[in-house]
Amino acid sequence: MTGSQPAIPPARPVIGEDEIEAAVRVLRSGMVVQGPEVAAFEREFSELVEGRHCVAVNSGTSALQLSLLALDFKPGDEVIVPSFSFAATANAVRLAGGVPVFADIEADTFNLDPDAVAAAITPRTVAIMPVHLYGHPAAMDRIMPIAEAHGLTVVEDAAQAHAAALNGKPVGSFGIAGCFSFYPTKNMHSLEGGMITTGDAEFARKLRLLRNQGMEQRYQNEIVGANMRLTDVAAAIGRVQLGKLAGWTERRQANAAYLNERLTGVVVPPVAEGAKHVYHQYTIRVSGDRDAFQAALAERGIGSAPYYPTPIHRLRPYLTEDGTPGPWKLPETERATAEVLSLPIFPSLTTEELDRIAEAVNAVAVAG
């Protein structure tokens, strides 16, 4: 690192006095698991998703897995997913008994390409799971008609997209389910946790059974379920963070606009028409050696990270028996994994820090 200024990390989770006081309050109450704080968190989060039913769980991955388990896959049922995502997207399909089928992404938004989705449909396809990657909504206005035409279910992976929207409609309100994560580096967090949103009351009830050993009443198990409950401590922290989300989102968007105006020599993240991007990540494209670019930024005290350097279809669990990636032809996915680099965008960045980020990126881009 050059100079005496402290390094700027890729992300900076917020755990303030409000969050600490909320956690302590719940601990002192003695009601710490699946109690009134969880119920209140579910009600309040519902306001983000057009009043949908909300079911809190212990992680974003659990939200995905339970939503897919509730679909009752049969052997061989296929779910279309992007390979350019965190592994949990495809892992949840496998864990629920489905088969992930990888489709390519759009070059601009990094989200599922609707044309690629349509081409990936087979007689075994039962669902589509778009990811609202980096906080930019997927092209739901094109994906939903494809799903309806083929009788397919849509489960949204909205883990990175709290309060994102397309044409005024919030993510998490398009498909049978929307799945959010409250991991510490997300736009809001509960230390760890997740939320499932759905407009179907019966589906919501099934999700509540699945998260709690298959029972609503103690010892009256109705189906086989798991223990994926959210604690009241986590819910209390989540409620505090939810109250700050709107302001933090505006700050992220302002930070992105500031960088957009100042960065040169790289491709800044475009925003599709009608999309509300909430910038969980501010992801640029870098020509040349991306890893060398990242290392040069680190020398200047600027943290960054490639999300994601290896597409899911090239990860070990998804290779074929002979160790190859299989039949997938995903040119935009492969290009993105080699070029993307996410810069700091968290809401507590100062103008001085934003200037340091811009100056470092521009200097490295010029150096080649």
Side-chain angles (χ1 to χ4, degrees), residues 46-280:
S46 177
E47 297 177 12
L48 281 185
V49 288
E50 298 186 334
R52 282 192 155 202
H53 305 279
C54 289
V55 180
V57 292
N58 60 356
S59 73
T61 300
S62 293
L64 291 171
Q65 186 179 348
L66 290 186
S67 296
L68 295 170
L69 280 170
L71 298 180
D72 294 322
F73 290 147
K74 299 185 295 296
D77 281 351
E78 296 176 351
V79 181
I80 298 172
V81 299
S83 180
F84 191 60
S85 181
F86 185 55
T89 301
N91 288 350
V93 176
R94 281 266 188 94
L95 289 169
V99 178
V101 171
F102 299 108
D104 211 2
I105 58 172
E106 297 177 313
D108 290 341
T109 69
F110 303 111
N111 289 322
L112 271 179
D113 181 342
D115 292 335
V117 169
I121 295 172
T122 75
R124 296 180 298 277
T125 307
V126 298
I128 306 168
M129 193 158 72
V131 179
H132 305 297
L133 198 70
Y134 303 145
H136 190 296
M140 303 306 293
D141 54 343
R142 296 174 60 199
I143 291 173
M144 292 305 297
I146 292 170
E148 290 163 9
H150 293 271
L152 306 178
T153 301
V154 173
V155 173
E156 302 170 65
D157 183 340
Q160 302 179 1
H162 316 70
L166 183 65
N167 299 322
K169 186 174 177 63
V171 302
S173 68
F174 288 90
I176 183 67
C179 302
F180 294 83
S181 169
F182 303 129
Y183 184 74
T185 57
K186 295 297 193 293
N187 291 29
M188 60 165 287
H189 72 82
S190 62
L191 296 184
E192 184 70 280
M195 189 76 75
I196 309 168
T197 64
T198 181
D200 186 317
E202 284 303 310
F203 194 78
R205 182 175 186 274
K206 188 171 186 179
L207 292 169
R208 292 189 181 101
L209 291 173
L210 285 169
R211 77 174 172 186
N212 189 37
Q213 304 288 11
M215 59 185 182
E216 279 193 311
Q217 300 298 319
R218 195 175 187 187
Y219 304 133
Q220 299 193 19
N221 306 68
E222 300 178 41
I223 62 175
V224 174
N227 177 3
M228 296 184 178
R229 298 183 298 264
L230 187 69
T231 69
D232 268 37
V233 174
I237 293 170
R239 293 179 67 196
V240 171
Q241 295 254 318
L242 180 59
K244 301 175 182 179
L245 178 62
W248 286 341
T249 300
E250 290 178 1
R251 189 69 249 160
R252 286 176 179 272
Q253 292 169 330
N255 291 347
Y258 194 91
L259 291 176
N260 286 347
E261 292 177 359
R262 288 160 176 77
L263 296 187
T264 60
V266 298
V267 178
V268 299
V271 180
E273 183 176 355
K276 177 186 176 184
H277 196 334
V278 296
Y279 294 99
H280 169 60

Side-chain angles (χ1 to χ4, degrees), residues 30-49:
M31 300 184 66
V32 295
V33 177
Q34 202 66 63
E37 291 290 333
V38 170
F41 189 26
E42 292 172 336
R43 288 194 303 271
E44 292 162 8
F45 196 85
S46 177
E47 297 177 12
L48 281 185
V49 288

Side-chain angles (χ1 to χ4, degrees), residues 2 7 15 18 44 64 75 83 108 145 176 234 243 256 286 312 323-324 328 368:
T2 59
I15 303 175
D18 291 345
E44 292 162 8
L64 291 171
S83 180
D108 290 341
I176 183 67
V286 174
I312 300 173
T324 62
W328 316 111

Side-chain angles (χ1 to χ4, degrees), residues 264 293 296-297 300 356-368:
T264 60
F293 198 104
L297 287 182
R300 290 165 170 79
R356 284 177 57 197
I357 293 166
E359 290 167 7
V361 171
N362 294 344
V364 174
V366 168

